[in-house]
Every structure is written in structure tokens, then in C-alpha cells.
């Protein structure tokens, strides 16, 4: 009988290393930015004194726009028979058209995209000679003003008498000293409503109270300012207190000096006399 030959399998004791698959990453092309240009009717208006003119035309040719992407200036002009305002993109005849504002206003319907884009994006006189009417921005601007006014009025309500006097003195000068508390409060609220931004700046100015303190001390002749407005002195003996730096407001300089070691001592002395 023929012997059956056994196929012996040789098992390898060495570990099997699986070859990792190298995945090739495909770089996706960045998606183009969504065009934020909105197709709608647009209105433009002349700025400044020229808006009173019955008719005003602006340049529609011989103007240039610097293209950031291309890196050079491109000629633009308005031709009604073209789909673009860029001369290097125009095809065929170029029938030049005029851009005319009537009574300071130009209404451009949504169908006239070439003219709209020229006026809104590329014309060098944009926001100088004329501007686009944008009701949303106008409304936001009005809201900002109203919020600022409210903040100023709220701040005026809680100001103490000394601070109120200090703020009003910037506006009214020495007349503040003769006002009653009710008059002071009334004029403070009116000032906050009339000029809210400046009012809030004064309220947050740490030197405004010190300036007012120096002015009151001068009005009561505790200290005095020389005729050339360069030196503060004691009112009783003309002894020099401090020198006003060149080209600086005297009471602003005095307020800064009150914060020095020497100035703090003088401040305490004056404060006792005022009280």
C-alpha cells in the first residue's frame, strides 16, 4: 500500500504585521463664498449742499476701481447695453449712459443691476458725493442714539450734587454756583439729553470733580490763578502752589497736581476751608 504523505504546515512563530492602508486625502476645493449681494430696488441720494440741486449728474466714464483680487485698477463705466460695468469684460458696442440725480435722489429698480453695482460697489464718489439709502442702518443708528440718551439720563438721575455741579460747570461755567438744587437737576437732565456722549464722558472722567474743586476754591479766593494763567497761588499771601505746564488747561493741570503728595496736602487744607 502506498503510504499517505501528510502535508505538514509550518507555522510561523513570528507575529503577522498587517500592512496599514495608506489613505490618500483628497483636498476639497473651498466652496466659494456666498454672494451677499441682494437683488432689490435701491435709492441713492446726494450728500451735502449739492442735494438741493434740481439736477446733478456724476461721472459715468473715465473712472477706475482698484480690484484687490486682480491687483490692478480696472476701468469702469455705465453702458445700458452691457451686462457689466467693467470695460475689460464688455462685449460689442459700448453705448455710454448718463447718471443723473433728480432733486438729490436717484431710484434704481432691481432690474438695472449694472448701474446698481457701479453705484453701490465701484464708483469712487460713493459715500463722498452720494450715498445709498439703507433704512436698516438708519434705524440701528437711531437705536444707538436713543440707548445712549437713556444711559445718560439714568446716570444724571443718580448723580450727587457735587458731581452734578462739576459736570455742569464744564458747560455753564461759574453760573453753576448761583443755581438752586432743582435748577441744577433740571439743567443736568437737559444737558444729558442734549449731548449724551459728552455727558457720559464727563461723568466717567476722574478729574472733573477735582477741576470743579479747584474752580470753587478760586471763586472763593482761597487760591488764585495768575493773570497769565501759568501759576496757582494762595489767595492770602500769593505763595506759589504749582505751575501750569505750557499749552495745558490751568484747571486740568491743577486737578493732576492735586493727586501728587504735595497737592494732596493742599487739597485737604482747601477742603477744610470750603466746608
Amino acid at each position: 500500500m502506498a503510504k499517505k504523505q501528510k502535508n505538514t504546515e509550518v507555522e510561523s512563530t513570528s507575529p503577522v504585521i498587517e500592512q496599514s492602508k495608506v489613505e490618500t486625502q483628497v483636498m476639497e476645493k473651498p466652496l466659494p463664498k456666498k454672494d451677499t449681494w441682494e437683488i432689490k430696488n435701491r435709492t441713492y441720494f446726494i450728500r451735502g449742499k449739492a442735494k438741493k440741486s434740481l439736477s446733478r449728474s456724476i461721472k459715468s466714464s473715465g473712472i477706475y476701481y482698484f480690484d484687490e483680487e486682480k491687483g490692478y485698477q480696472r476701468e469702469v463705466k455705465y453702458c445700458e447695453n452691457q451686462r457689466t460695468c467693467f470695460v475689460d469684460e464688455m462685449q460689442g458696442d459700448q453705448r455710454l449712459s448718463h447718471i443723473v440725480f433728480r432733486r438729490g435722489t436717484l431710484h434704481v429698480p432691481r432690474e438695472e443691476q449694472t448701474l446698481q453695482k457701479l453705484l453701490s460697489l465701484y464708483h469712487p464718489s460713493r459715500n463722498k458725493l452720494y450715498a445709498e439709502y439703507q433704512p436698516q442702518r438708519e434705524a440701528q443708528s437711531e437705536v444707538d442714539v436713543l440707548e445712549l440718551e437713556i444711559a445718560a439720563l439714568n446716570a444724571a438721575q443718580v448723580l450727587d450734587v457735587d458731581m452734578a455741579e462739576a459736570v455742569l460747570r464744564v458747560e455753564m461755567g461759574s453760573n453753576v454756583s448761583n443755581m438752586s438744587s432743582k435748577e441744577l437737576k433740571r439743567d443736568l437732565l437737559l444737558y444729558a439729553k442734549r449731548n449724551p456722549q459728552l455727558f457720559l464722558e464727563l461723568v466717567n472722567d476722574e478729574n472733573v470733580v477735582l477741576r470743579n474743586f479747584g474752580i470753587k476754591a478760586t471763586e472763593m479766593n482761597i487760591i488764585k490763578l495768575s493773570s497769565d494763567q501759568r501759576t496757582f497761588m494762595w489767595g492770602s499771601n500769593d505763595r506759589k502752589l504749582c505751575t501750569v505746564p505750557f499749552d495745558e488747561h490751568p484747571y486740568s493741570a491743577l486737578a493732576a497736581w492735586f493727586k501728587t503728595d504735595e497737592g494732596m496736602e493742599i487739597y485737604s487744607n482747601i477742603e477744610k476751608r470750603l466746608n
Side-chain angles (χ1 to χ4, degrees):
M1 292 179 64
K3 294 183 179 180
K4 293 182 179 180
Q5 294 182 348
K6 295 182 179 180
N7 293 329
T8 57
E9 295 181 357
V10 180
E11 295 183 359
S12 175
T13 58
S14 58
V16 178
I17 301 176
E18 293 184 1
Q19 186 174 0
S20 59
K21 295 180 180 179
V22 179
E23 295 183 359
T24 304
Q25 292 185 347
V26 179
M27 297 296 292
E28 294 183 0
K29 294 183 179 180
L31 296 174
K33 293 183 179 179
K34 186 178 180 180
D35 190 0
T36 56
W37 176 260
E38 181 181 357
I39 297 179
K40 63 179 183 179
N41 298 328
R42 297 176 188 267
T43 301
Y44 305 87
F45 61 92
I46 295 292
R47 305 179 67 180
K49 296 180 180 179
K51 64 183 179 183
K52 297 181 180 179
S53 304
L54 293 177
S55 176
R56 175 64 187 265
S57 61
I58 64 173
K59 293 184 69 175
S60 58
S61 63
I63 50 182
Y64 294 84
Y65 168 77
F66 181 76
D67 192 320
E68 295 283 351
E69 293 183 358
K70 296 183 180 296
Y72 58 84
Q73 284 190 329
R74 302 174 69 188
E75 184 180 1
V76 292
K77 64 180 178 180
Y78 175 48
C79 299
E80 287 184 342
N81 67 321
Q82 296 288 338
R83 294 183 178 180
T84 177
C85 60
F86 290 106
V87 174
D88 55 13
E89 294 178 353
M90 292 183 178
Q91 298 178 353
D93 294 336
Q94 300 174 8
R95 295 198 294 272
L96 185 65
S97 303
H98 298 289
I99 304 174
V100 182
F101 289 74
R102 306 289 182 187
R103 298 184 180 276
T105 306
L106 174 60
H107 301 284
V108 183
R110 64 197 305 273
E111 294 80 12
E112 297 185 21
Q113 288 297 296
T114 302
L115 178 56
Q116 283 192 5
K117 289 185 177 181
L118 173 60
L119 292 172
S120 296
L121 302 176
Y122 308 125
H123 202 289
S125 296
R126 177 174 61 95
N127 295 331
K128 297 176 183 176
L129 177 61
Y130 72 90
E132 180 180 351
Y133 175 65
Q134 297 177 323
Q136 290 183 347
R137 288 188 183 179
E138 296 286 338
Q140 182 59 47
S141 178
E142 290 178 5
V143 169
D144 292 341
V145 171
L146 289 172
E147 289 179 346
L148 194 65
E149 187 177 305
I150 291 170
L153 290 170
N154 287 338
Q157 286 282 10
V158 298
L159 282 188
D160 58 35
V161 175
D162 290 338
M163 187 63 178
E165 183 180 313
V167 170
L168 272 183
R169 195 179 291 276
V170 175
E171 173 75 5
M172 304 179 64
S174 58
N175 293 332
V176 174
S177 301
N178 301 321
M179 295 173 67
S180 66
S181 58
K182 287 190 177 295
E183 289 174 330
L184 200 67
K185 192 72 172 180
R186 177 203 63 199
D187 285 8
L188 187 71
L189 290 168
L190 290 173
Y191 183 39
K193 181 178 177 62
R194 185 171 61 251
N195 200 336
Q197 184 171 354
L198 178 58
F199 177 84
L200 291 172
E201 289 175 359
L202 290 173
V203 169
N204 294 315
D205 184 356
E206 60 180 6
N207 286 334
V208 69
V209 173
L210 292 176
R211 284 201 299 269
N212 184 55
F213 180 86
I215 293 170
K216 287 172 67 176
T218 304
E219 289 176 350
M220 296 182 66
N221 204 33
I222 297 174
I223 61 175
K224 62 183 180 182
L225 179 62
S226 61
S227 57
D228 62 358
Q229 297 194 336
R230 294 298 307 277
T231 307
F232 280 99
M233 302 167 287
W234 281 114
S236 57
N237 56 18
D238 291 344
R239 185 166 66 86
K240 179 181 174 181
L241 294 175
C242 69
T243 301
V244 178
F246 179 74
D247 205 24
E248 188 171 342
H249 191 280
Y251 290 100
S252 295
L254 182 63
W257 181 75
F258 278 143
K259 296 179 181 179
T260 65
D261 292 339
E262 182 184 2
M264 290 176 67
E265 293 181 7
I266 300 299
Y267 179 91
S268 298
N269 190 322
I270 296 173
E271 189 175 30
K272 294 175 182 176
R273 300 189 189 193
L274 285 175
N275 296 332

